[in-house]
Amino acid sequence: MAVSRKKVLWVDDEIEFLRAHILFLETRGYSVLPVFSGDDAVELIKNNPDAYDIVLLDEQMPGKDGLTTLEEIKEIAPSMPVVMVTKSEEEELMEAALGRKIDGYLTKPVNPSQVLLVCKRLLDCNELISNQLKQKFLRAYTDIRSVLASTLKISDYFRLYESLCRWNVELDKIEDEGLRQMHAGQISDCNTQFCNYVAEQYPRWIRGEGNGPLMATNVIEKVIAPMIENKEKVLMIVLSGMRMDQLLNLETELRTMFRIEKTSFCSVIPSEMKSSRSALFTGKSPEQVYSDCPEIYRAEDEHIISESGKKLLCSGLKNLPISEEQIFYEEMTKNYSQEEITEIIEQIENASIAVITIDIIKRFIQLSSSPNVLKEIASDEKALRSFTSSWFNSSSILKLLRTLSVENRNVIITSDHGHILCSRGTEIYGTDLIEANLRYICGEKISADERQVIFLEEPSHYGLPKLSENSRTIIARENYYFIYPDEFERFRDQYQNSFQCGGISMDEMIMPLYVCKKRSHSGD
């Protein structure tokens, strides 16, 4: 069987002087397409980004120069290896190239062997990494199948979910749709079992009975309170709506600043912002919060939970040895200037506990001109992780963390609930209200397919408020979204392959919690 030739796109305005180099590469098994300008290169990659395996790019060209061309190529094909070829060795130029994610660097004059070596290093290395990952994945896949065949506890699901999330991140590095489909199928199997387990065990957890998991309702009691009582200062950053795989994608950057201790906790049902945020801040179930603050659940606008954030937080911290003046709360709704960040840092330094929340889904929408941003730029989970990393690298929260990383302060990074990519519709009857991107519905005469939802005939057993005498709650399981039977086509077009919350799945309910501490001088 013939071996596929690696395809090289060589961009140089003096390409006619490189014919010997091109011939050398072609005799070594490469297929080379020479082009004379950055515009031509960008157009070729835009039209077919999978047609080339590597780009050799001259830095000094008339018209669009190498650095500009590099930036445009990386916007189209972020994983495309690009080697910069230049006459200059200036440090400033090299830093600019590296800052735009250059993969290799050659200084003119180059000989054919140098070009061959850099191509082999990048392409053969990627192929070796890909093969190693495939072997590791297949072993992990078999191990997870064995685990699923056994009787699992919630701690087992926590470990299982972290393993699945890590493979989400690892499989982003290679192009193998077959492995991704295998992985997606295994995640679906895990979610099926997880939903059954949660439906059975959750009423006991929310009542605090037995040896349940760490819940959103006792994060303050079990994680934050011991720090406060030990007179340690705390900053908690709640990246609302963020899933574990998204945070794992940020972990490398976080570890350059902190030592990290990781754990997980279980969010509440329904796994949406109002319920999960109030449970995390107050330490109370949604039913108890509704009893204390009914306006939170009766308000249609989610702004009420934002406006009540400080009040809810003070309620949850009232039994700790701190005053309300020692509590700082901020909801970040924009990218802050350096002056604003400095002001926030001053307030954090004067507080015993500071809590900052960011609704990352709203931030993503703000960064896009399209109201359907989640479907357009994050129509799959790989795109969501990539967009999260891009946002974080230019965010105010990263600037804040870099400044605070040198202080002796516990920094807790967590989420209150996650989102799941929904691909299957389930028809809902007896209601004329389906809230956008939510996977739970309350009503008196509602019904749906029992195989695709979980019925809560007595919401109070699950720590949920009963909004009327005959009210019941339906929660979507796994990756289902709700559809009106008489508007099936419209709802399918609008919600299929969209990220939603409020249901029961590992993505929505198993929350990461990182306790970040100042790194020692030894660099541990």
Side-chain angles (χ1 to χ4, degrees):
M1 184 177 69
V3 177
S4 176
R5 293 166 67 90
K6 298 293 185 182
K7 300 177 181 63
V8 179
L9 180 63
W10 198 328
V11 191
D12 196 309
D13 62 305
E14 297 178 338
I15 198 73
E16 68 271 15
F17 299 115
L18 300 169
R19 295 191 184 280
H21 297 67
I22 293 172
L23 180 61
F24 183 81
L25 287 178
E26 290 181 335
T27 59
R28 298 307 190 273
Y30 293 86
S31 174
V32 182
L33 176 65
V35 295
F36 291 89
S37 72
D39 286 321
D40 290 343
V42 170
E43 188 66 24
L44 285 168
I45 293 173
K46 185 183 296 183
N47 291 337
N48 192 353
D50 297 323
Y52 309 99
D53 298 294
I54 190 169
V55 177
L56 302 178
L57 179 61
D58 185 26
E59 188 274 324
Q60 296 179 354
M61 294 184 293
K64 186 171 290 179
D65 66 11
L67 291 177
T68 304
T69 304
L70 167 65
E71 192 166 349
E72 293 186 18
I73 288 174
K74 287 294 185 178
E75 286 179 2
I76 300 166
S79 60
M80 174 77 72
V82 179
V83 177
M84 185 73 80
V85 185
T86 181
K87 298 175 182 177
S88 174
E89 292 184 352
E90 291 181 6
E91 183 178 354
E92 183 179 341
L93 173 62
M94 295 179 72
E95 287 180 354
L98 291 169
R100 290 172 172 82
K101 298 182 180 178
I102 199 77
D103 298 277
Y105 201 95
L106 291 173
T107 303
K108 291 183 177 181
V110 295
N111 62 55
S113 296
Q114 287 176 300
V115 180
L116 176 63
L117 283 173
V118 75
C119 289
K120 287 182 66 67
R121 176 176 62 81
L122 291 172
L123 297 178
D124 292 354
C125 179
N126 288 345
E127 189 171 340
L128 178 62
I129 291 172
S130 177
N131 288 334
Q132 289 174 339
L133 273 179
K134 290 175 184 178
Q135 294 303 316
K136 288 181 180 178
F137 170 77
L138 293 173
R139 288 195 294 270
Y141 181 88
T142 302
D143 291 342
I144 291 173
R145 286 185 61 185
S146 299
V147 169
L148 284 177
S150 61
T151 301
L152 301 181
K153 300 177 182 178
I154 187 60
S155 56
D156 299 317
Y157 280 108
F158 282 0
R159 287 190 293 270
L160 181 64
Y161 180 57
E162 181 172 359
S163 175
L164 292 170
C165 286
R166 286 201 174 278
W167 278 111
N168 278 337
V169 174
E170 289 298 313
L171 291 177
D172 287 349
K173 300 174 183 177
I174 62 174
E175 296 298 327
D176 194 313
E177 192 57 34
L179 290 188
R180 289 200 181 94
Q181 290 179 4
M182 285 179 65
H183 186 53
Q186 190 162 69
I187 290 174
S188 179
D189 293 341
C190 293
N191 261 327
T192 299
Q193 289 191 206
F194 178 76
C195 288
N196 294 335
Y197 182 79
V198 169
E200 178 184 338
Q201 298 293 329
Y202 185 85
R204 183 174 59 84
W205 298 343
I206 198 65
R207 292 194 297 268
E209 298 175 359
N211 188 26
L214 180 64
M215 297 282 294
T217 49
N218 49 32
V219 165
I220 285 181
E221 175 193 353
K222 296 187 176 180
V223 179
I224 294 175
M227 297 175 181
I228 298 295
E229 289 166 354
N230 199 35
K231 301 190 183 304
E232 298 174 17
K233 290 191 172 184
V234 178
L235 166 64
M236 181 165 74
I237 297 172
V238 181
L239 301 173
S240 182
M242 182 172 284
R243 313 176 340 166
M244 183 180 289
D245 59 340
Q246 293 171 271
L247 190 52
L248 283 172
N249 232 24
L250 311 181
E251 192 173 306
T252 300
E253 179 66 31
L254 291 173
R255 287 193 181 277
T256 65
M257 298 179 281
F258 300 101
R259 290 183 294 113
I260 299 176
E261 300 169 5
K262 296 164 51 177
T263 189
S264 300
F265 69 89
C266 191
S267 186
V268 296
I269 293 174
S271 53
E272 49 78 46
M273 196 264 275
K274 285 183 184 179
S275 300
S276 59
R277 179 87 59 83
S278 58
L280 183 64
F281 283 5
T282 65
K284 297 177 181 179
S285 69
E287 182 180 33
Q288 293 169 316
V289 173
Y290 176 76
S291 177
D292 296 341
C293 307
E295 68 275 9
I296 288 178
Y297 281 88
R298 294 196 182 279
E300 294 182 5
D301 194 343
E302 282 190 344
H303 283 303
I304 188 68
I305 192 72
S306 301
E307 295 168 0
S308 303
K310 178 72 178 284
K311 175 184 174 182
L312 294 171
L313 186 62
C314 290
S315 169
L317 297 170
K318 67 181 179 181
N319 294 325
L320 296 180
I322 53 174
S323 64
E324 187 171 327
E325 290 71 29
Q326 293 173 288
I327 301 170
F328 171 71
Y329 178 77
E330 176 79 9
E331 180 150 355
M332 284 191 168
T333 58
K334 62 177 184 176
N335 219 22
Y336 285 29
S337 68
Q338 188 57 53
E339 290 76 14
E340 290 171 317
I341 291 173
T342 301
E343 183 179 337
I344 288 175
I345 288 172
E346 289 175 359
Q347 295 183 74
I348 290 173
E349 289 174 342
N350 293 327
S352 293
I353 177 168
V355 175
I356 293 175
T357 61
I358 304 173
D359 187 328
I360 63 164
I361 301 302
K362 286 185 178 178
R363 286 294 295 126
F364 290 177
I365 293 172
Q366 289 171 358
L367 294 171
S368 171
S369 58
S370 168
N372 297 317
V373 62
L374 283 186
K375 190 158 186 175
E376 293 180 2
I377 65 173
S379 56
D380 60 67
E381 291 165 323
K382 180 180 179 181
L384 180 65
R385 288 186 289 273
S386 176
F387 193 74
T388 302
S389 297
S390 298
W391 162 78
F392 182 71
N393 289 335
S394 60
S395 69
S396 300
I397 207 68
L398 178 57
K399 297 172 186 174
L400 189 75
L401 288 170
R402 283 174 175 159
T403 302
L404 295 174
S405 64
V406 298
E407 296 187 3
N408 288 314
R409 178 185 300 273
N410 294 307
V411 177
I412 297 171
I413 302 176
T414 189
S415 178
D416 49 10
H417 72 285
H419 290 77
I420 187 167
L421 183 64
C422 294
S423 60
R424 296 181 287 179
T426 185
E427 295 180 348
I428 186 81
Y429 302 90
T431 181
D432 58 0
L433 177 64
I434 296 179
E435 291 192 56
N437 300 321
L438 290 183
R439 303 207 309 139
Y440 77 100
I441 290 180
C442 300
E444 295 187 358
K445 298 179 180 180
I446 53 176
S447 63
D449 189 331
E450 294 184 2
R451 296 167 299 177
Q452 299 163 357
V453 302
I454 293 176
F455 285 89
L456 308 183
E457 298 287 357
E458 290 294 335
S460 61
H461 290 172
Y462 288 79
L464 298 177
K466 195 165 186 175
L467 302 179
S468 67
E469 182 62 30
N470 299 314
S471 177
R472 66 194 316 210
T473 300
I474 292 180
I475 308 278
R477 24 179 319 143
E478 301 166 41
N479 62 349
Y480 286 96
Y481 60 94
F482 292 129
I483 291 180
Y484 285 135
D486 55 349
E487 295 185 76
F488 188 93
E489 297 288 338
R490 181 174 73 84
F491 272 75
R492 184 190 61 188
D493 293 344
Q494 185 172 355
Y495 293 124
Q496 189 175 44
N497 295 326
S498 65
F499 286 94
Q500 300 193 18
C501 63
I504 298 179
S505 70
M506 294 185 293
D507 285 330
E508 294 163 289
M509 292 192 68
I510 300 180
M511 296 294 98
L513 190 149
Y514 288 15
V515 178
C516 306
K517 298 178 180 287
K518 178 182 176 182
R519 294 177 65 90
S520 68
H521 293 298
S522 61
D524 60 351

